[in-house]
Amino acid sequence: MSESIRAVVALGNPGADHASDRHNVGFWLADRLAERWRVAFSSERKFKGDLARHGMGDASVWLLKPTTFMNRSGDAVQPLCAFHKIAPESVLVVHDDLDLPAGTARFKQSGGHGGHNGLRDITRVIGAQYKRLRIGIGHPGDRAQVLSYVLGTPSPDDRIAIDTAIDAGIEALELALDKSWDHGAQKLNSRKAPSA
């Protein structure tokens, strides 16, 4: 039995300098989700991030954008989980993924960090059993170019494709919250990848 989602942690780097980076697709999704849910983020020093709440009581879902920079994302996730008694299985981490083409979104139950510094740090503090929403950004084709690629701005066509994937991810997340994780995963993971 999979745990229900109680926290959505969107990964990115804070500050205007990074706002359009591919690495910040998690923040893009969180901002769109907050707008859709009509909730506002507030800066929470205790949780080292910007936090919003959707719903009430036991049905609350916390939406967190860490302000720690990517490689210290766990420093924001750990206090949120500890304070609100959220199990790792009830955390959904939204992140960019080099291994998926731009326009693709996939749910994943748990697993390794795949070299992603944000996932690596979250795994360091709460283990690897959290859920993931992977938003594809494509790959530059050369490992030496990965850092400049993830910290760069997508082409207009890629941005449109990524925005479409974000919308699909939000729909699947809402289905997972309304029905079950399996329902959301089936809908999202059976979605056709965009043609190149």
Side-chain angles (χ1 to χ4, degrees):
M1 165 110 177
S2 62
E3 296 281 330
S4 60
I5 297 165
R6 293 191 55 214
V8 177
V9 178
L11 299 190
N13 286 312
D17 290 350
H18 296 289
S20 63
D21 292 357
R22 291 180 179 89
H23 224 14
N24 273 39
V25 298
F27 280 11
W28 302 350
L29 183 144
D31 289 340
R32 199 170 307 175
L33 191 57
E35 188 176 328
R36 184 178 174 109
W37 286 353
R38 296 181 180 172
V39 297
F41 284 102
S42 60
S43 179
E44 295 285 347
R45 187 176 299 176
K46 175 166 55 178
F47 302 125
K48 297 182 180 174
D50 296 331
L51 190 67
R53 180 180 183 173
H54 175 61
M56 299 294 290
D58 291 342
S60 292
V61 178
W62 298 96
L63 185 56
L64 175 68
K65 296 194 297 182
T67 52
T68 54
F69 285 95
M70 187 70 79
N71 63 354
R72 301 300 295 181
S73 298
D75 290 349
V77 177
Q78 194 279 330
L80 180 74
C81 290
F83 186 82
H84 290 293
K85 298 180 174 59
I86 300 171
E89 296 83 0
S90 295
V91 175
L92 176 70
V93 176
V94 184
H95 65 93
D96 59 302
D97 198 308
L98 288 159
D99 294 330
L100 295 176
T104 305
R106 293 287 183 267
F107 273 155
K108 187 176 178 184
Q109 182 73 38
S110 60
H113 56 68
H116 193 289
N117 287 334
L119 299 185
R120 180 185 280 115
D121 199 60
I122 291 170
T123 299
R124 173 183 66 86
V125 295
I126 67 168
Q129 296 310 305
Y130 55 90
K131 297 171 170 62
R132 301 105 196 273
L133 172 49
R134 306 162 63 204
I135 305 292
I137 59 170
H139 195 288
D142 181 350
R143 286 182 64 184
Q145 295 175 14
V146 163
L147 183 59
S148 60
Y149 181 78
V150 298
L151 296 178
T153 303
S155 68
D157 284 349
D158 276 3
R159 179 64 198 246
I160 291 169
I162 290 168
D163 284 342
T164 301
I166 286 172
D167 287 340
I170 287 174
E171 284 185 22
L173 168 58
E174 291 185 330
L175 185 60
L177 291 170
D178 185 46
K179 292 188 179 290
S180 72
W181 168 260
D182 290 341
H183 276 85
Q186 184 176 11
K187 179 180 177 66
L188 188 62
N189 295 354
S190 63
R191 175 178 172 265
K192 286 196 171 178
S195 53

